[in-house]
Amino acid sequence: MTDDAGGVLDPGGHLASTAADCVHCGFCLPACPTYQLWGEEMDSPRGRIHLMTQVLNGAPVTQAVTTHLDRCLGCMACVPACPSGVRYNELIEAARGWPQEPDTGQNGDQARMARSLRDRAVRAAIFATFPYPKRLRALSGPLRAAQRTGLDRLVQRGLNTRHAPELASSLRLAPQAAARRGKPARPGRLPARVPARGERRAVVGMLTGCVQRVFFPQVNEATARVLAAEGCDVIIPPGQGCCGALSLHSGRADEAARFAAGTIATFEREGVDAVVVNSAGCGSAMKEFGAVFARHADSADLHLDEMTGRAAAFSSGVRDFSEFLAELYRDRGGPRAARHELPVTAAYHDACHLAYAQRIRQQPRDLLRGIPGLEVTEAGDGGTCCGSAGVYNLLQPDAARELGDRKAAALRATGARLVVSANPGCSLQIAAALEADGGEPVAVAHIAEVLDASLRGLPVTALTGR
């Protein structure tokens, strides 16, 4: 490794050491969605690790290298498939940041030009909007107007899909306005504290998220109601912001660290027993905060070394919604709230950052199977990514659409009338794919909504809208 390239891209040699753990055995190939799509070695985890190793040894960060790295979904399906325990998440998150580095040694200018000016502008627009709920909400007004007039569908057709694929993709994925769905609009406002019903068993903080807060406020409402029904005081800090997940998974390390620091400080002030997260991508990132700050502790302007201990302590208290309920039932007397019958066949979709990054697969299924009348069925695609992957479906719309079509076909084959997910991006992606294939309507709901409907004795139509 050259000092000029490696010193900036890989302080301390951590990335080179991690990459060296890969023995190129090929176990990752059948697990990788992009390798499944194209059969291209450089679009597999081991191929990308080979490219990273070349760069760390002094090769330039070219457009070709960046293209293969950007095509990675970051789904982490390769991580549990790897017999060598390669921490691929750390490699891809770091490598995606190389074209954004202010200096990358001898190849700094070339690295910055590895993405086109247009691509950099699109990314800048996305990250100036999505992590900020107020800005995202401001854009939702024109979006709703476009949906009411049918302009959104017009924009998606014709030349716009070639010249503005990101715009066409964002309109295709956007949740439909309440009027088009035939459902009443919901305010989505939550108090700062939702008290436990009956004897209190825990005090938990709840992350409201960015996309979740703006497009799926009913998921946050359902989450708070379920937690309260199970004996939890739910603390919802009104000043909380983005947790940094989108930035972290896209290689924007400093930006992610700033968001993370704000999230940590917000929930530290509340003194909660755990922080419950109902978005798989957010939960995955928040559980990594300790490692993120440890890896970037040399950044003098952020003083990240001072945050490392606090971040590790915070991460140890982060729980996914299903994970938290499973632990609560195990340690504190089982479910408290009565379940009512919900007669429906539901297909559970494994969100990648829940199943692969957090290794949480059984807990959501157990919650669903505890609902009387609800039958859980499995899609026969081996849990392949739906193509959402944070902002991937905006930046790589063609690959994302093909993966979404495959997911929709697998879900339709189950015959389920309800698809259950645990991540807002997955919900948007799957709903768009199911609507686009022209088949019978299939509802998509968050697991918190399904459990909430059972606890409240609501009919299946509360989830399906039919």
Side-chain angles (χ1 to χ4, degrees), residues 43-56:
D43 287 316
S44 73
R46 73 176 183 183
R48 293 184 178 107
I49 291 174
H50 174 70
L51 293 175
M52 295 176 205
T53 300
Q54 288 185 319
V55 170
L56 293 174

Side-chain angles (χ1 to χ4, degrees), residues 166-181:
E166 299 88 359
L167 175 60
S169 182
S170 63
L171 289 173
R172 180 178 67 88
L173 293 165
Q176 296 301 305
R180 185 180 289 182
R181 293 196 311 265

Side-chain angles (χ1 to χ4, degrees), residues 292-346:
V292 167
F293 281 98
R295 291 199 300 269
H296 297 90
D298 293 330
S299 181
D301 61 328
L302 290 176
H303 303 289
L304 299 184
D305 54 330
E306 300 176 7
M307 284 292 301
T308 302
R310 290 171 57 195
F314 174 84
S315 292
S316 68
V318 174
R319 295 291 184 274
D320 174 72
F321 171 75
S322 297
E323 177 187 28
F324 175 79
L325 287 179
E327 292 180 0
L328 183 74
Y329 298 160
R330 181 195 66 201
D331 299 335
R332 304 192 185 183
R336 173 184 292 176
R339 273 70 170 158
H340 298 86
E341 187 176 20
L342 200 63
V344 66
T345 299

Side-chain angles (χ1 to χ4, degrees), residues 36 58 73 143 177 195 230 254 329 340 357 378 381 419:
Q36 292 176 26
L73 290 133
L143 171 63
E230 293 292 3
D254 287 351
Y329 298 160
H340 298 86
E378 301 286 346
D381 63 352
V419 175

